[in-house]
């Protein structure tokens, strides 16, 4: 498998984990020392950083706890900005959909900026910044 395909799979597993309420799957896509930040709207304050795999897992678990809908994270337009044998920088777009009571709606759009590292046979997210156009 190519590095690009492995990186796409890492990002896809993180999204799938959220959509399927599997916080362990989400956390497994991050390094032990990963960091994550978020910004909502162009003038929004930066939220975080959330430091470490466990803090990132807890953030997702807390977010999922109050949701009654089915979320679907669609990642597109993946660009590998920089790549070495063991590191990669990527940007990708996000469309966040919600299904509840038989209705589909778009909750938000935005993008991810990820720094990934190869650890053994796996690519893991070392840092992630999420930008959302609207609150989720």
């Amino acid at each position: 498998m190519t590095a690009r395909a492995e990186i796409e799979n890492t990002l896809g597993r993180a999204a799938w984990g959220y959509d399927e309420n599997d916080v362990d799957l989400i956390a497994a896509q991050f390094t032990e020392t990963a960091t994550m930040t978020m910004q909502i709207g162009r003038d929004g304050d930066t939220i975080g950083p959330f430091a470490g795999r466990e803090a990132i897992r807890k953030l997702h678990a807390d977010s999922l706890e109050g949701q009654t809908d089915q979320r679907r994270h669609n990642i597109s337009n993946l660009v590998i900005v920089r790549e070495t044998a063991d590191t990669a920088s990527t940007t990708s777009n996000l469309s966040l959909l919600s299904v509840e009571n038989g209705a589909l709606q778009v909750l938000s759009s935005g993008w991810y900026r990820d720094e990934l590292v190869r650890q053994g046979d796996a690519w893991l997210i070392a840092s992630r910044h999420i930008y959302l156009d609207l609150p989720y």
Side-chain angles (χ1 to χ4, degrees), residues 103-115:
L104 173 70
Q105 66 176 340
V106 177
L107 292 182
S108 192
S109 58
W111 48 263
Y112 295 113
R113 182 182 303 128
D114 293 309
E115 299 290 331

Side-chain angles (χ1 to χ4, degrees), residues 20-131:
E20 293 302 311
N21 300 330
D22 188 342
V23 293
D24 292 327
L25 180 60
I26 298 167
Q29 307 317 303
F30 290 84
T31 66
E32 285 289 337
T33 59
T35 60
M36 191 171 93
T37 57
M38 184 182 329
Q39 178 183 354
I40 300 173
R42 293 198 186 277
D43 298 324
D45 293 331
T46 298
I47 303 165
F50 300 91
R53 180 184 284 164
E54 189 53 38
I56 293 168
R57 182 190 183 286
K58 182 178 182 332
L59 171 69
H60 286 88
D62 291 349
S63 180
L64 285 164
E65 191 173 288
Q67 293 176 7
T68 58
D69 60 341
Q70 174 64 62
R71 303 280 169 101
R72 295 291 178 216
H73 290 73
N74 295 294
I75 302 169
S76 61
N77 301 334
L78 174 66
V79 175
I80 297 179
V81 177
R82 180 189 50 76
E83 179 184 354
T84 69
D86 295 317
T87 65
S89 298
T90 67
T91 59
S92 54
N93 289 107
L94 165 67
S95 300
L96 180 56
L97 306 175
S98 169
V99 178
E100 189 167 32
N101 300 322
L104 173 70
Q105 66 176 340
V106 177
L107 292 182
S108 192
S109 58
W111 48 263
Y112 295 113
R113 182 182 303 128
D114 293 309
E115 299 290 331
L116 296 101
V117 295
R118 185 187 296 272
Q119 290 187 349
D121 293 336
W123 282 92
L124 298 176
I125 302 166
S127 70
R128 167 169 274 186
H129 179 73
I130 304 170
Y131 171 82

